[in-house]
Amino acid sequence: MSADIRAVCFDLDGTLLRDDHVDGVVRAVADELAMRYPGVDAAALAEANENVWWDYWPAVGDAWMRGEVPGDEVPTEVWRRSLAQVGVTDATAATEAFELHTALEGNAFALYPEAMDVLAALRDRGIRTAVITNGPSGLQRSKLMAVDLAEGFDAVLVSGEVGIQKPDAAIFALAVERLGVSPGEALHIGDNQVADVGGARGAGLTAVWIDRNGAALASEPHHVVDDLRGLLPLV
Ligand SMILES: [Mg+2]
């Protein structure tokens, strides 16, 4: 129990929100497109999507995260390139794929089972809460809405809205300012060791790494927890 912590900041994807549905959604989109476009192999299209994403990401990832390009543009372009690799050059196919992806993904958004109880317990203790998430505004806000957390925090910082992304210390500074606490009074929890652990530490917050999958430690968190319940003894 620390009397010093007055606010807890959360990463969203992989921390509060399950991220284990991502591959399944891509495959479901590919399955549907394979039915709509004869001759397309669904497995090949899903694989192309993954490869294109990794190839294309370094050139556009930062701009997408900071809201410098429309949120729909990058994922639509990924589908356009993936479809071209399996021989579909129909101009509307990529838009169709992106819309399908958005719809199927929206149905799959879900919190980790302990999230709501932990948030309620923190609120009961008078702890202020925030989300600090990297991604485009529309997508990240739709996730919060889908899990009934649109109004669930004292502050929400989406990189695509503030034009700064984790691990930049400035986004953590903005979060603590909005929460009305000092960095030393705030804790940030996240699953990404660069964006969350490195970022929070660099900004003077207590950094907690949530390691749901038993990954290798590659950063210097102040604490490591298995799931969100591990936060409660720390505040
Ligand atoms: Mg994450």
Side-chain angles (χ1 to χ4, degrees):
M1 184 100 170
S2 162
D4 301 336
I5 297 296
R6 296 176 53 213
V8 172
C9 304
F10 292 86
D11 165 54
L12 183 56
D13 299 286
T15 298
L16 289 167
L17 197 79
R18 304 187 70 99
D19 63 356
D20 45 12
H21 62 280
V22 175
D23 292 343
V25 169
V26 168
R27 182 54 201 254
V29 174
D31 285 341
E32 177 63 29
L33 289 166
M35 285 194 275
R36 295 186 192 179
Y37 294 88
V40 168
D41 179 73
L45 178 56
E47 197 187 330
N49 182 278
E50 189 180 340
N51 294 336
V52 166
W53 188 258
W54 288 116
D55 279 352
Y56 184 45
W57 182 252
V60 293
D62 286 344
W64 190 63
M65 291 291 200
R66 291 196 293 253
E68 294 161 6
V69 295
D72 298 2
E73 197 173 290
V74 170
T76 304
E77 177 62 13
V78 170
W79 278 114
R80 192 191 65 74
R81 294 181 186 202
S82 314
L83 284 157
Q85 286 191 8
V86 296
V88 178
T89 52
D90 186 314
T92 60
T95 307
E96 205 180 312
F98 172 71
E99 284 169 1
L100 198 52
H101 194 161
T102 302
L104 293 175
E105 186 178 57
N107 293 335
F109 292 145
L111 290 172
Y112 285 102
E114 78 280 14
M116 280 300 193
D117 287 348
V118 170
L119 286 168
L122 293 173
R123 273 193 291 271
D124 284 350
R125 295 184 192 184
I127 301 286
R128 295 177 68 76
T129 57
V131 163
I132 309 178
T133 178
N134 281 357
S137 174
L139 178 60
Q140 300 309 86
R141 293 279 176 182
S142 72
K143 291 172 183 173
L144 289 172
M145 197 107 69
V147 297
D148 287 329
L149 278 179
E151 309 291 331
F153 299 92
D154 297 300
V156 173
L157 290 104
V158 180
S159 66
E161 295 171 8
V162 297
I164 317 162
Q165 63 184 327
K166 297 179 290 184
D168 191 328
I171 196 167
F172 294 94
L174 198 54
V176 297
E177 186 191 318
R178 289 189 186 173
L179 290 167
V181 301
S182 68
E185 294 172 321
L187 176 158
H188 176 77
I189 181 167
D191 66 314
N192 186 299
Q193 298 195 60
V194 176
D196 295 306
V197 175
R201 248 206 120 100
L205 283 73
T206 296
V208 180
W209 180 41
I210 185 162
D211 175 28
R212 295 187 185 273
N213 309 312
L217 183 65
S219 61
E220 294 178 56
H222 294 96
H223 305 281
V224 181
V225 299
D226 297 333
D227 68 37
L228 295 168
R229 288 169 298 190
L231 270 178
L232 298 176
L234 306 178
V235 300

